[in-house]
Amino acid sequence: MQTMGDIKVTKATTSKRASVDFKNLSFGKIFTDHMLVAKYSNGSWQSPEIVPYGPISFDPSMATIHYGQSIFEGIKAYRLKTGVEAIFRPYDNFKRFNKSASRMEMPSVPEDIFIGGMKQLLQLEAAWIPEEYDHSLYIRPFMFATDEVIGVNPSTTYTFMIILSPVGPYYAAPMKIYVEEFYVRAVPGGVGFAKTSGNYAASLHPAAVAKKRGYDQILWTDAHEHKYVQECGTMNVFFVIGDKFITPGLETGTILEGVTRDSVIAVATDMGKVVEEREISVDELVDAYKAGLLTEAFGAGTAATIAKIAELRYKDFVMDFDPAQMPLADEIKSILTAIRDGIAPDPRGWMLSIQG
Ligand code: COI
């Protein structure tokens, strides 16, 4: 055992890294040699530890399994062309994590554990950060309730962990999506803005129905009228109408406040484009498509990055897009990639070095 910064480290005796084919990574199947674990009880966080990656044990009555008091984040680390290893906008995920924690009646995680712990874990695992285009080391911080009781109450004990996974693109090809008109993801006053496990559990059946119908994902609509679009399964959504970018606004609390979403808005604004964050009805999309004004549609998320939509179906009406003719999505993606590669200016300080 040794101490790295403030954190106790127990090193793995062997590394799995040499057995990993970094050129053929799919999403989230391989994990690095170490993980960070911090426990909360009696109203405070105990010192985190870095330990060899491996299974964790729990009591069958553990609260999370029964009532889903569980939240997570998705962040990526990149190897810049300068050789520096850096994390993309981790403070934004840190803030969102604690917003999710508050909604789920869980304790906040302090910055020294979330950001400090992440940096120290990454320093130990830096060799796992891939170099290939569109590849990164995906960082998954998560927290779950650990009280051993099956009464429905907020837990008094929690575990926070960070695991790391070298990843390639989440969606390998442009997507086919349809507008969902029966199932619902989120309602005002609900938990749509929180990155909580139940949101993803509830999406699995509708997504499985979509797969059976030959689609990759669904585009969620509002719960009352199925009229306004919200987000896709694993990402926010953008449309280019005329020369404006349009994306659903955050005010209803029914969509995730995506860090990639915010990055797209910033980059598009820097490009001199108008970006509107507002309600968008499916009818508006259909009308704009028929008028030849809806020219690009794409998803934006940490895992998905910028994922083009090739087909968007609404009832029997199919909107086809040519992924090779989406110059604005391409430009946004190449600017974001250049910032992550360290070859374009980073005026907002989005990249946080894992050192120091
Ligand atoms: C991410 O983009 O990091 C997400 O959380 C989506 C994920 C569920 C794959």
Side-chain angles (χ1 to χ4, degrees), residues 275-319:
V275 183
E276 292 179 356
E277 296 176 69
R278 61 166 172 84
E279 282 191 326
I280 314 165
S281 68
V282 189
D283 289 341
E284 177 181 349
L285 293 177
V286 169
D287 289 347
Y289 183 84
K290 286 182 177 162
L293 294 171
L294 173 57
T295 49
E296 302 191 32
F298 60 91
T302 298
T305 64
I306 302 296
K308 293 177 180 174
I309 297 173
E311 178 183 324
L312 179 61
R313 184 187 188 98
Y314 177 51
K315 300 185 193 290
D316 289 332
F317 187 70
V318 174
M319 294 174 257

Side-chain angles (χ1 to χ4, degrees), residues 12 28 91 114 151 154 224 238 298 302 306 335-336 338:
Y91 281 100
F114 191 99
H224 300 301
F238 282 83
F298 60 91
T302 298
I306 302 296
I335 293 171
L336 286 175

Side-chain angles (χ1 to χ4, degrees), residues 72-76 87-100 114-115 118 139 141 195 257-260 302:
F72 70 97
E73 272 303 326
I75 308 173
K76 282 177 170 172
I87 317 166
F88 186 70
R89 303 190 67 174
Y91 281 100
D92 296 275
N93 295 85
F94 168 59
K95 283 186 211 132
R96 186 173 68 181
F97 188 81
N98 280 336
K99 275 192 202 164
S100 301
F114 191 99
I115 300 281
M118 184 185 302
I139 305 167
K195 211 156 171 69
E257 192 174 343
V259 176
T260 309
T302 298

Side-chain angles (χ1 to χ4, degrees), residues 101-133:
S102 164
R103 177 62 181 85
M104 303 308 288
E105 198 55 28
M106 300 167 93
S108 318
V109 174
E111 182 179 328
D112 59 336
I113 296 182
F114 191 99
I115 300 281
M118 184 185 302
K119 280 164 84 175
Q120 288 192 33
L121 182 62
L122 282 164
Q123 285 165 25
L124 187 63
E125 305 288 59
W128 285 84
I129 303 177
E131 281 175 17
E132 288 72 16
Y133 176 74

Side-chain angles (χ1 to χ4, degrees), residues 28-315:
K29 294 198 173 146
I30 290 164
F31 298 93
T32 68
D33 297 321
H34 299 89
M35 59 189 189
L36 178 126
V37 186
K39 300 211 166 167
Y40 177 92
S41 59
N42 300 318
S44 58
W45 286 97
Q46 294 147 27
S47 302
E49 283 191 40
I50 292 174
V51 295
Y53 184 92
I56 49 178
S57 69
F58 49 82
D59 191 89
S61 68
M62 183 173 75
T64 308
I65 311 173
H66 300 273
Y67 306 122
Q69 212 189 356
S70 161
I71 60 171
F72 70 97
E73 272 303 326
I75 308 173
K76 282 177 170 172
Y78 297 85
R79 186 179 307 285
L80 276 55
K81 300 289 181 217
T82 53
V84 169
E85 297 102 355
I87 317 166
F88 186 70
R89 303 190 67 174
Y91 281 100
D92 296 275
N93 295 85
F94 168 59
K95 283 186 211 132
R96 186 173 68 181
F97 188 81
N98 280 336
K99 275 192 202 164
S100 301
S102 164
R103 177 62 181 85
M104 303 308 288
E105 198 55 28
M106 300 167 93
S108 318
V109 174
E111 182 179 328
D112 59 336
I113 296 182
F114 191 99
I115 300 281
M118 184 185 302
K119 280 164 84 175
Q120 288 192 33
L121 182 62
L122 282 164
Q123 285 165 25
L124 187 63
E125 305 288 59
W128 285 84
I129 303 177
E131 281 175 17
E132 288 72 16
Y133 176 74
D134 241 355
H135 287 55
S136 57
L137 188 57
Y138 186 79
I139 305 167
R140 172 53 62 89
F142 56 108
M143 170 164 57
F144 52 96
T146 53
D147 273 5
E148 296 170 0
V149 55
I150 54 171
V152 181
N153 280 305
S155 185
T156 59
T157 60
Y158 295 88
T159 296
F160 170 75
M161 299 183 66
I162 304 179
I163 57 175
L164 307 174
S165 173
V167 296
Y170 194 83
Y171 294 107
M175 293 170 299
K176 283 177 69 180
I177 286 180
Y178 66 75
V179 176
E180 178 62 63
E181 290 185 275
F182 176 72
Y183 297 107
V184 160
R185 177 182 176 275
V187 291
V191 296
F193 68 90
K195 211 156 171 69
T196 184
S197 314
N199 281 337
Y200 295 81
S203 76
L204 296 176
H205 177 66
V209 173
K211 286 234 158 64
K212 276 195 203 124
R213 293 176 58 186
Y215 288 81
D216 300 300
Q217 266 301 341
I218 49 192
L219 177 58
W220 295 107
T221 49
D222 72 280
H224 300 301
E225 301 176 89
H226 291 295
K227 184 171 174 190
Y228 297 101
V229 305
Q230 293 183 335
E231 64 176 64
C232 286
T234 51
M235 56 203 178
N236 297 114
V237 69
F238 282 83
F239 302 97
V240 177
I241 299 183
D243 64 353
K244 285 184 189 161
F245 284 75
I246 303 178
T247 193
L250 302 172
E251 57 288 339
T252 54
T254 53
I255 65 168
L256 203 69
E257 192 174 343
V259 176
T260 309
R261 173 187 181 279
D262 187 68
S263 309
V264 170
I265 293 171
V267 168
T269 308
D270 288 351
M271 282 159 56
K273 297 291 172 191
V274 173
V275 183
E276 292 179 356
E277 296 176 69
R278 61 166 172 84
E279 282 191 326
I280 314 165
S281 68
V282 189
D283 289 341
E284 177 181 349
L285 293 177
V286 169
D287 289 347
Y289 183 84
K290 286 182 177 162
L293 294 171
L294 173 57
T295 49
E296 302 191 32
F298 60 91
T302 298
T305 64
I306 302 296
K308 293 177 180 174
I309 297 173
E311 178 183 324
L312 179 61
R313 184 187 188 98
Y314 177 51
K315 300 185 193 290

